[in-house]
Amino acid sequence: MMSIKMTIGAAGAAEAASHGDVIVVVDVVNTSSAAEVALREGAVAVVGAAPDSAYRVLSGEHAAKYPFAETPEGVDPVERGREAGKIAVEEGCDVVLVVDGGEDNASLARKGVEDVGAEIREVVPNAGPRIKDVVDPAGKVFLFATATGGTLYDVAKTHGAPAVTFGTVVRRSFTRACAERALRLAGRYGVGVTIVVSSIFAPEDLDAGARIFEEACKVITESVCEERFEDVVSRL
């Protein structure tokens, strides 16, 4: 039976990723809601990266405070930029860079995109679920160089997660889509799912993580019941 777990913060993301789980990043107010809306509006892919400020913390003098930050492998925004850039090159499209704290705070992620020959056509602020009001997502790869969601994505990928996705509950249909996507990815890789909530001090994310967890359990239960029903029918 596939396992579904829930944890908190970057340390939890790193641990779950090191065990090979698919990671669901929950940062409802900003990144995960923006990522889901972008996908709904036709984005080719969404990728997260730590902004420069987070990289400096996780690979510099403050790294000892973070058990997941084995200097300098705590995060790798250049590699995450390459990840987004490679998808853009393969799909023949451009990259949209979504930033917290200004474009200068995403120079490492930008370098990764440029390393593989992709182009960043637009740089926009992290507008959360209103992302479609500031840029048309259709046919673009989104790279979120953001302090919370982007950094958690980066931590998870850097520590070995086979896949990382985002989760939000701003709409009921989004909750279901997030749960189904995570389970589909876990099934593809033959691993479990860990839902990573941004912080214990973010009650909206704790609630969202619990709701996504519950929805994932429902999806599994429905699938098992359907399989057993079909098996019974086949025996009649």
Side-chain angles (χ1 to χ4, degrees):
M1 179 67 70
M2 183 184 298
S3 67
I4 306 174
K5 301 184 288 292
M6 187 170 163
T7 188
I8 297 173
E15 182 179 3
S18 69
H19 294 155
D21 280 0
V22 165
I23 304 299
V24 181
V25 172
V26 180
D27 174 26
V28 169
V29 173
N30 289 314
T31 304
S32 60
S33 293
E36 187 64 32
V37 170
L39 289 173
R40 289 294 182 107
E41 295 295 322
V44 173
V46 293
V47 176
D52 295 5
S53 55
Y55 177 81
R56 286 193 296 270
V57 169
L58 301 184
S59 62
E61 61 182 16
H62 304 293
K65 296 180 181 178
Y66 300 88
F68 56 86
E70 299 175 2
T71 308
E73 291 83 19
V75 288
D76 192 350
V78 175
E79 185 57 34
R80 302 289 79 76
R82 293 185 186 124
E83 179 184 341
K86 287 175 183 176
I87 297 171
V89 170
E90 290 171 0
E91 297 293 332
C93 61
D94 296 322
V95 176
V96 174
L97 179 62
V98 183
V99 298
D100 282 341
E103 185 175 350
D104 291 344
N105 199 27
S107 65
L108 294 171
R110 175 185 283 277
K111 180 182 184 303
V113 174
E114 294 171 348
D115 280 352
V116 296
E119 291 190 49
I120 296 174
R121 291 290 188 182
E122 297 175 87
V123 180
V124 300
N126 189 7
R130 300 185 306 278
I131 191 73
K132 65 179 181 178
D133 296 333
V134 297
V135 62
D136 179 9
K140 301 180 179 79
V141 174
F142 276 69
L143 176 58
F144 289 89
T146 54
T148 303
T151 299
L152 289 174
Y153 183 109
D154 202 335
V155 168
K157 265 301 186 72
T158 301
H159 286 81
V164 183
T165 185
F166 292 97
T168 187
V169 296
V170 292
R171 292 183 186 174
R172 175 68 179 79
S173 61
F174 286 11
T175 310
R176 183 74 176 194
C178 295
E180 290 178 340
R181 183 168 58 245
L183 293 172
R184 187 165 58 249
L185 288 167
R188 179 187 305 170
Y189 293 103
V191 298
V193 173
T194 295
I195 299 162
V196 180
V197 176
S198 67
S199 169
I200 196 171
F201 301 109
E204 68 279 3
D205 288 348
L206 289 168
D207 176 69
R211 289 164 63 184
I212 293 169
F213 181 97
E214 181 181 4
E215 193 67 30
C217 292
K218 286 181 181 178
V219 173
I220 291 176
T221 300
E222 290 168 5
S223 176
V224 170
C225 289
E226 182 178 347
E227 289 176 2
R228 289 182 177 176
F229 177 77
E230 291 176 352
D231 182 57
V232 170
V233 171
S234 68
R235 295 172 185 269
L236 296 178

